[in-house]
Amino acid sequence: MYGTSPASLEITAWPLDPIPANGTLECQFAGRVSEAVSDVLVRNLEDRVVAARLDSLTAKRVVRIAIEMLQNLHHHAPGQGICGFRVVSTATGWWLASRNEVEEPVKTELVQRFAELKGMDLEELRSHQREVLNAPERSAHGGGGVGLIEIMRRTERNLALSTVPSGDNHWIVELTAHIAVSS
Amino acid sequence: MNDIRTEGTSKTPTVTATREPFCLELSGRSIPENSIAFYQPVMDWVEFQCDGASEMLEINIRLEYFNTSSSKCLMDLLKRVEASSCPARVNWYYEDDDEDMLEAGEDYDAIIDLPFRLIASAAS
């Protein structure tokens, strides 16, 4: 699936992510994300995991992580913001990547938050997620910061964050999740 | 306040909230863009029906997918029931091979002080 692809987010140029070049492209989008776009991408991905005959839990995790990534794009690059999303499969796993542009303070906060979560083991992540879920605070979008923890847990910490400057105090952030396929 | 009977969509769950029987059920998927707006009528129903109620409210949750925005709303919903005087019980259904949904149920159980049953069903 292809959308519009401005120069800063060319769908052929994902220089930072660790996705293998020899994988099968399952799903791809670049452009302005909307509720309708997210809906189509999730439906498309559901078809792809069925076609790939993934085991039930792996298939659900692929879709769940996609849902969280697309929710994140919808919330953090709304309206005119340009986003990228793609899914690649190999014999050993599925890779999901999202990218969007953010301002410098947001990037700094995200990098710091990512490092904190990456430093936790799975039990610590679960415990932390319970604390955040139980806290009264909410983000403007109703989540309160649970999404990144959820993705970190469901990928079993196989999550990478890359940033690249895009000028004028803006950065492109790429989040890449890997879900291993059990043999 | 009227009962709620809302058919699910590809992004929102089927919601059934009835006084007779006294039951609240969510099933399907819950990935709305605006989860707060979606769940507000359910919150209102719980607030109205639970305050002062003496009958047991049966809460059945059978979700396949829910986004983290919905997870917060679900927590608020259960906390609202917990804070009322209404006796209630939560039945959390999950497919037997879905450890993620089982863990989610365990997490709510650990936080919410309501009787909680985790019920496995055969994967479809």
Side-chain angles (χ1 to χ4, degrees), chain A residues 7 13-14 16 19 27 30 32 40 45 69 93 100 103 110 116 131 144 151 154 176 181:
Chain A
W14 294 69
L16 299 175
I19 295 179
C27 175
R32 293 180 175 86
V40 169
L45 201 50
M69 283 184 159
N100 61 301
E103 294 180 354
L110 180 60
E116 284 173 18
E131 289 170 7
I151 298 173
R154 297 305 161 215
T176 307
V181 173

Side-chain angles (χ1 to χ4, degrees), chain A residues 76-160:
Chain A
H76 296 290
Q80 298 305 302
I82 302 300
C83 303
F85 176 76
R86 72 171 178 158
V87 181
V88 172
S89 67
T90 68
T92 58
W94 283 54
W95 305 75
L96 296 92
S98 68
R99 64 161 52 172
N100 61 301
E101 192 173 48
V102 298
E103 294 180 354
E104 168 86 30
V106 176
K107 172 259 190 186
T108 302
E109 188 181 344
L110 180 60
V111 168
Q112 186 179 350
R113 179 75 177 138
F114 184 87
E116 284 173 18
L117 297 178
K118 192 76 175 173
M120 297 182 187
D121 64 28
L122 289 176
E123 277 308 307
E124 289 170 329
L125 281 168
R126 186 175 189 184
S127 173
H128 183 53
Q129 185 165 351
R130 283 183 184 178
E131 289 170 7
V132 176
L133 196 57
N134 194 24
E137 294 82 16
R138 282 182 174 280
S139 70
H141 312 290
V146 190
L148 191 58
I149 311 172
E150 177 73 9
I151 298 173
M152 190 72 83
R153 284 183 66 195
R154 297 305 161 215
T155 58
E156 298 180 342
R157 300 172 64 253
N158 288 310
L159 187 64

Side-chain angles (χ1 to χ4, degrees), chain B residues 54-95:
Chain B
S54 56
E55 308 97 299
M56 170 74 74
L57 172 64
E58 201 82 27
I59 303 173
N60 297 314
I61 300 174
R62 307 167 192 264
L63 292 175
E64 179 189 13
Y65 296 117
F66 59 98
N67 59 14
T68 50
S69 178
S70 294
S71 72
K72 266 299 222 191
C73 291
L74 208 49
M75 178 61 72
D76 289 348
L77 199 60
L78 295 174
K79 280 185 173 177
R80 198 161 289 193
V81 175
E82 181 188 34
S84 76
S85 56
C86 173
R89 176 171 63 190
V90 181
N91 300 307
W92 181 276
Y93 293 86
Y94 65 98
E95 292 191 346

Side-chain angles (χ1 to χ4, degrees), chain A residues 130 133-134, chain B residues 75 79 82 106-113:
Chain A
R130 283 183 184 178
L133 196 57
N134 194 24
Chain B
M75 178 61 72
K79 280 185 173 177
E82 181 188 34
E106 290 172 343
D107 291 342
Y108 283 105
D109 186 17
I111 296 168
I112 297 293
D113 187 19

Side-chain angles (χ1 to χ4, degrees), chain A residues 33-43 70 74, chain B residues 11 33:
Chain A
V33 76
S34 66
E35 193 167 346
V37 165
S38 299
D39 202 21
V40 169
L41 288 169
V42 169
R43 285 167 187 253
L70 290 167
H74 195 66
Chain B
K11 306 197 89 169
E33 297 303 332

